[in-house]
């Protein structure tokens, strides 16, 4: 198997029969004869994947058996520009739709959070008003309690005096019962 200069054995294709043209990554080589045909000799068309035939070279005879033995090589063609453009547009439109959805969801989350913050703020304002009213009422109650405190002290003093009078009344009752018992005893004699 022969390869052209710079080929280094990177031939594409299968088989090693003589008279075939093979495509290397770097050089188009004619395999089979002692002569090699690099891509530069065949022409600029070989590097662009067009059909390349090795014929009309000095030292090679042209004939029906030689033409049948020449194989043409073609590079794989990339998809047409329109297909890539359409696929890119489709990808970008779907990506835009996806990102729009993501941003819309995030925006809606922030709007919900903003509404929750507003409602919470309103609730806190209501609670603040309630707390201010409770504080005001508590101050009024404390003031009224302070005004009533002398009367409450008098009630406590009266209660203590009543308790002392009650004890004195119990003692007096017990003493009067003893006196009664003694009088009945003396009366019986």
């Amino acid at each position: 198997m022969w390869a052209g200069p710079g080929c280094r054995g990177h031939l594409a294709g299968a088989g090693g029969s003589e008279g075939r043209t093979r495509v290397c990554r770097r050089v188009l080589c004619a395999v089979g004869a002692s002569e090699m045909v690099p891509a530069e000799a065949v022409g600029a068309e070989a590097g662009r994947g067009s059909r390349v035939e090795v014929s009309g070279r000095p030292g090679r005879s042209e004939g029906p058996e030689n033409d049948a033995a020449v194989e043409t090589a073609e590079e794989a063609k990339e998809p047409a520009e329109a297909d890539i453009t359409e696929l890119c547009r489709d990808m970008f439109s779907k990506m835009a739709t996806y990102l729009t959805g993501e941003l819309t969801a995030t925006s809606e989350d922030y709007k919900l959070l903003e509404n929750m913050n507003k409602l919470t703020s309103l609730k806190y304002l209501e609670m603040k008003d309630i707390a201010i009213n409770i504080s005001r009422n508590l101050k009024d109650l404390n003031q009224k309690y302070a005004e009533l405190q002398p009367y409450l002290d008098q009630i406590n003093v009266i209660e203590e005096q009543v308790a002392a009078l009650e004890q004195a009344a119990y003692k007096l009752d017990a003493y009067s019962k003893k006196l009664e018992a003694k009088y009945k005893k003396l009366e019986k004699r």
Side-chain angles (χ1 to χ4, degrees):
M1 184 183 303
W2 296 89
C7 183
R8 296 183 188 155
H10 296 282
L11 296 175
S17 62
E18 295 185 4
R20 292 188 180 203
T21 303
R22 294 189 172 185
V23 177
C24 175
R25 290 184 186 158
R26 296 167 55 196
V27 178
L28 179 69
C29 306
V31 179
S34 61
E35 302 175 24
M36 310 301 166
V37 180
E40 293 84 16
V42 175
E45 295 294 320
R48 291 199 296 266
S50 60
R51 299 174 71 93
V52 176
E53 294 184 14
V54 178
S55 63
R57 290 186 11 232
R60 298 210 31 116
S61 63
E62 292 186 34
E65 73 274 334
N66 203 13
D67 286 338
V70 174
E71 182 178 311
T72 60
E74 292 186 29
E75 287 186 17
K77 293 183 180 178
E78 293 186 17
E81 286 277 331
D83 292 340
I84 291 175
T85 305
E86 186 61 34
L87 289 173
C88 287
R89 282 189 185 136
D90 186 43
M91 180 194 70
F92 281 122
S93 69
K94 288 180 180 177
M95 184 62 84
T97 303
Y98 169 75
L99 291 176
T100 302
E102 285 292 316
L103 292 175
T104 302
T106 304
S107 174
E108 292 298 321
D109 287 345
Y110 280 123
K111 285 180 183 176
L112 177 64
L113 189 61
E114 181 183 6
N115 289 338
M116 289 173 60
N117 284 340
K118 286 179 181 177
L119 288 174
T120 304
S121 175
L122 290 175
K123 287 290 182 184
Y124 277 125
L125 287 175
E126 289 176 10
M127 290 172 65
K128 177 187 169 191
D129 291 341
I130 291 170
I132 288 171
N133 288 336
I134 290 173
S135 175
R136 188 178 307 130
N137 291 337
L138 187 61
K139 284 179 182 176
D140 291 343
L141 285 174
N142 285 336
Q143 184 179 0
K144 288 178 182 177
Y145 183 76
E147 291 172 0
L148 289 175
Q149 188 63 42
Y151 299 111
L152 294 173
D153 291 340
Q154 286 179 1
I155 290 172
N156 287 338
V157 169
I158 291 171
E159 186 179 359
E160 289 172 3
Q161 289 174 351
V162 167
L165 282 173
E166 187 180 6
Q167 290 297 321
Y170 285 134
K171 287 179 183 177
L172 185 61
D173 186 46
Y175 183 70
S176 67
K177 284 182 183 176
K178 283 181 184 178
L179 279 179
E180 185 181 355
K182 278 185 182 182
Y183 176 75
K184 284 186 181 179
K185 198 176 188 187
L186 286 173
E187 198 176 71
K188 284 184 186 179
R189 286 189 201 171

